[in-house]
Amino acid sequence: MSLTRRQKWRIEKIQAERIARANKASDSSEELLDDTVKPQTGLVITRYGQRLLVEAESGELYQCTGRRNIELSVAGDQVIFQTISNDEGVVTALLERDNQLSRSQKLIAANIDELWLVVAIEPHYQFELIDRYLVVAENAGLPINIVVNKIELSTDIDKVKRDFSMYESAGYPIHYLSVKEQTNIAELKALLNDKTHIFLGQSGVGKSSLINELIPDLNLRVNEISSKSKLGKHTTTNTTLYHIPSGGDLIDSPGIREFQLDELTDKEILSGFREFKPFIGLCKFRNCAHINEPNCAIKTAVENGDIHPKRYTNYLQLISG
Ligand SMILES: Nc1nc2c(ncn2[C@@H]2O[C@H](COP(=O)(O)OP(=O)(O)OP(=O)(O)O)[C@@H](O)[C@H]2O)c(=O)[nH]1
Ligand SMILES: [Mg+2]
Ligand SMILES: [Zn+2]
């Protein structure tokens, strides 16, 4: 049903009134906005509820609130803000994002160049969880790497490598490392320059440990953030961006808990299996779910060895769960 011109006009009028009201009833901090203070661009370092920690181009950090009528921003966002004191400000605009990563409709971070899915020997990686993370990451359209941490705890590294061969043949670079024993840390470090990288993965796999290892003075930086925001000791409950002194940014994120599993749609799941892509649209039935249908191009690809059989069973498991 299309809207009549009159309906459209009404909707626009209501929206304009809402925005005007939101501007009027703005935060008390906003009333402190001084027209003589020049707006500047900033980078969102982290978000605590409704508050943002914003870094000015000078490197100074400001605790900010956002104007009510602008979309909430997250780590990695570029914003326009105005200072209201020597460590506080108000965000007045959100700049356009290159990309954004969300889970269950909740925004995690923005303007990311590469995603690193971290798994470990302990807590032991689970394929279903890996595939869920990959589906989320693929749907954000980001380049993805897989890190297998704590390899020194493995008694059968060949088995681990066999387990990850299906991800390798799907095109994901796999990095085996141990933060504890410094295995392959230098190699990883060399891959992280001059871009924004996000570390994602189950709680306890060592994302923060790895970031600490990659940024030697991070403890300083963590203290700096927590003393500024006055929110006590840093724990990974907030997605936070850190600068590598030699260039590049790392975003640490909290690991998910069981009850936070994403509700994935069949469409998202299908586009989350990147090696299926060349075969989609080639099945006999246009609405093929690639389960029991005859002449299914995905199943044929599995039989021909173009898709790893374990990846296909993982797909079936996700789609039926
Ligand atoms: N044995 C071993 N333990 C490690 C290694 N890397 C990290 N750990 C330990 O794993 C535990 C969890 O590490 P964290 O860095 O807090 O894990 P995280 O992924 O940031 O977890 P969340 O913040 O809860 O999502 C800590 O006790 C680390 O010391 C490793 O290579 N080997
Ligand atoms: Mg952590
Ligand atoms: Zn099919």
Side-chain angles (χ1 to χ4, degrees):
M1 191 186 72
S2 70
L3 296 173
T4 65
R5 260 167 81 191
R6 195 168 169 77
Q7 278 173 314
K8 260 195 202 149
W9 176 82
R10 265 194 62 110
I11 290 168
E12 277 162 20
K13 189 162 170 280
I14 291 168
Q15 275 171 349
E17 282 167 4
R18 277 212 191 113
I19 291 169
R21 231 179 298 138
N23 281 337
K24 240 190 209 159
S26 52
D27 291 339
S28 57
S29 58
E30 200 168 324
E31 279 157 24
L32 299 170
L33 268 186
D34 179 346
D35 285 345
T36 62
V37 177
K38 239 175 91 190
Q40 50 182 317
T41 17
L43 171 68
V44 176
I45 298 297
T46 190
R47 192 180 105 200
Y48 305 97
Q50 301 297 309
R51 306 206 132 224
L52 299 166
L53 190 65
V54 175
E55 184 188 72
E57 274 165 10
S58 64
E60 296 282 335
L61 294 169
Y62 294 89
Q63 260 218 63
C64 294
T65 51
R67 271 200 174 155
R68 289 214 188 128
N69 58 334
I70 65 165
E71 202 188 328
L72 209 58
S73 37
V74 286
D77 262 326
Q78 293 280 348
V79 294
I80 303 292
F81 77 105
Q82 268 172 267
T83 59
I84 53 173
S85 76
N86 63 355
D87 61 359
E88 285 174 305
V90 176
V91 170
T92 55
L94 168 64
L95 301 188
E96 204 185 320
R97 293 174 176 136
D98 284 341
N99 59 46
Q100 57 185 55
L101 181 70
S102 337
R103 286 196 39 239
S104 300
Q105 265 98 66
K106 244 188 101 189
L107 210 54
I108 305 175
N111 302 320
I112 304 153
D113 294 309
E114 258 179 77
L115 186 145
W116 298 77
L117 172 58
V118 185
V119 301
I121 305 301
E122 196 61 53
H124 202 269
Y125 52 83
Q126 297 164 41
F127 299 123
E128 195 188 329
L129 211 51
I130 293 176
D131 293 322
R132 284 179 164 276
Y133 273 117
L134 290 177
V135 167
V136 169
E138 286 291 350
N139 279 279
L142 297 171
I144 304 163
N145 296 270
I146 298 177
V147 167
V148 186
N149 186 27
K150 312 195 192 184
I151 51 160
E152 93 286 352
L153 294 177
S154 171
T155 50
D156 190 352
I157 194 69
D158 289 336
K159 162 81 166 59
V160 176
K161 290 193 171 163
R162 276 199 304 281
D163 281 345
F164 283 90
S165 67
M166 64 173 152
Y167 295 107
E168 202 156 21
S169 52
Y172 298 110
I174 320 282
H175 306 267
Y176 299 94
L177 48 103
S178 165
V179 172
K180 193 177 175 192
E181 299 196 337
Q182 301 277 306
T183 317
N184 288 332
I185 300 291
E187 287 81 350
L188 179 67
K189 200 167 191 169
L191 300 172
L192 298 170
N193 287 330
D194 299 325
K195 280 183 181 172
T196 301
H197 305 268
I198 187 163
F199 289 82
L200 215 66
Q202 205 185 338
S203 189
V205 293
K207 299 179 294 296
S208 302
S209 312
L210 182 57
I211 291 172
N212 265 328
E213 202 58 49
L214 296 164
I215 307 179
D217 65 343
L218 186 59
N219 285 330
L220 255 176
R221 183 63 203 253
V222 167
N223 287 336
E224 194 183 313
I225 285 178
S226 44
S227 63
K228 277 255 178 189
S229 57
K230 298 179 182 65
L231 284 161
K233 218 169 155 245
H234 176 80
T235 50
T236 319
T237 49
N238 298 284
T239 301
T240 307
L241 182 146
Y242 302 101
H243 300 301
I244 306 175
S246 58
D249 295 326
L250 305 181
I251 302 178
D252 194 8
S253 72
I256 57 160
R257 312 220 171 88
E258 289 300 312
F259 62 86
Q260 294 174 310
L261 287 181
D262 299 82
E263 281 191 21
L264 304 167
T265 66
D266 288 357
K267 197 170 160 244
E268 282 173 324
I269 295 169
L270 188 60
S271 50
F273 284 72
R274 63 153 67 157
E275 70 273 39
F276 291 15
K277 240 159 248 170
F279 309 101
I280 291 168
L282 305 180
C283 306
K284 180 178 178 189
F285 297 108
R286 219 174 354 132
N287 62 348
C288 186
H290 324 299
I291 304 170
N292 293 316
E293 296 87 341
N295 296 335
C296 167
I298 300 284
K299 283 199 291 182
T300 308
V302 176
E303 281 156 23
N304 294 342
D306 294 323
I307 290 176
H308 198 291
K310 187 81 175 65
R311 282 279 284 174
Y312 178 64
T313 47
N314 289 357
Y315 163 77
L316 292 179
Q317 216 170 4
L318 274 193
I319 214 106
S320 66

